[in-house]
Amino acid sequence: MGGNGSSPCASCKLLRRRCAKDCIFAPYFPSDDPHKFAIVHKVFGASNVSKMLQELPLHQRGDAVSSLVYEANARMRDPVYGCVGAISYLQNQVSQLQMQLAVAQAEILCIQMQQDSSSMETPVQNNFEADDKSFLFHNNLSQHQYLNFPSSTDHHVFQDSLKRESFFGHDMVS
C-alpha cells in the first residue's frame, strides 16, 4: 500500500481506490496531509496531475508537485488570475516602493544642493520649489536631465494638491 506500506496515500484515500506499490502520487501526497491532494485534485483533476507527473523525470516531480499545490491554492483564492495575480500585486508594490525611494533620493539631493548653494559666496538661483517633485539634476557627464516623478495612486506618497507640470508646461498627471 502506497509508499510506506501502512496506509494509502492521500490521493488514493480521496479517490477511494487501492494504493498500489508503484502509485505515482504516494511519494508526493502522503496520507497525513489529505488537503494537499484535495486542492490539487479540485483545480487540476487527478488524471491531469498523473499525466503531468508521468511526463517528468523523477528528480523534477517533487518541484512540480510543490508548484501545483501553490498554483491550486492561488486559484482557490483568485480563480481568474491565480498566482499571476499575486505576482502582479507584488510587482506593483515593488514599483511603488522604487518610486518612493527615487522621490526620497531626489529630495535628499535637492536639500544637499540647496545647502551647497547657500554656502557659496555667490548665490545660485533655484528654479524649483522644495515641494515640487520635478527636479533638474546635474550628472557626472555635465549634462542636465529633467526628471518628473508621477503621482502614485497611494495618497501616502504624494498629496493630491501638488501640481506637476512637464518641461513643456502642460499637465503630466490627469
Side-chain angles (χ1 to χ4, degrees):
M1 293 187 132
N4 60 9
S6 61
S7 65
C9 68
S11 63
C12 292
K13 272 187 184 179
L14 183 74
L15 300 173
R16 297 180 185 191
R17 66 181 188 190
R18 185 170 106 35
C19 192
K21 263 188 168 181
D22 61 345
C23 176
I24 195 160
F25 297 119
Y28 313 107
F29 299 104
S31 60
D32 60 350
D33 192 5
H35 179 72
K36 186 176 173 181
F37 180 76
I39 196 164
V40 169
H41 172 59
K42 187 173 185 172
V43 173
F44 298 106
S47 64
N48 288 332
V49 174
S50 175
K51 289 175 190 174
M52 283 188 257
L53 292 177
Q54 287 173 354
E55 290 179 9
L56 291 172
L58 283 172
H59 69 278
Q60 292 179 344
R61 291 180 183 177
D63 291 336
V65 168
S66 295
S67 295
L68 289 170
V69 170
Y70 182 83
E71 177 65 25
N73 281 316
R75 286 280 171 194
M76 294 304 290
R77 284 189 305 273
D78 185 355
V80 175
Y81 295 109
C83 66
V84 174
I87 291 167
S88 295
Y89 173 77
L90 293 172
Q91 285 177 334
N92 188 31
Q93 276 189 323
V94 168
S95 177
Q96 287 178 354
L97 291 171
Q98 286 174 333
M99 184 177 64
Q100 289 176 9
L101 177 61
V103 168
Q105 289 172 334
E107 288 174 349
I108 289 170
L109 188 56
C110 178
I111 291 168
Q112 289 173 343
M113 288 173 63
Q114 286 176 346
Q115 288 175 349
D116 289 347
S117 67
S118 66
S119 66
M120 296 174 74
E121 291 181 358
T122 56
V124 176
Q125 182 181 359
N126 289 330
N127 291 329
F128 53 89
E129 296 291 324
D131 61 351
D132 188 3
K133 298 302 178 210
S134 300
F135 299 102
L136 189 60
F137 291 102
H138 186 74
N139 67 8
N140 293 338
L141 300 174
S142 299
Q143 295 174 320
H144 292 284
Q145 296 178 354
Y146 182 79
L147 300 178
N148 189 340
F149 300 101
S151 68
S152 170
T153 56
D154 185 4
H155 297 287
H156 300 290
V157 179
F158 298 115
Q159 296 175 349
D160 288 336
S161 63
L162 293 176
K163 182 179 179 185
R164 286 160 296 285
E165 294 182 347
S166 75
F167 198 56
F168 303 104
H170 60 279
D171 285 344
M172 290 292 289
V173 181
S174 55

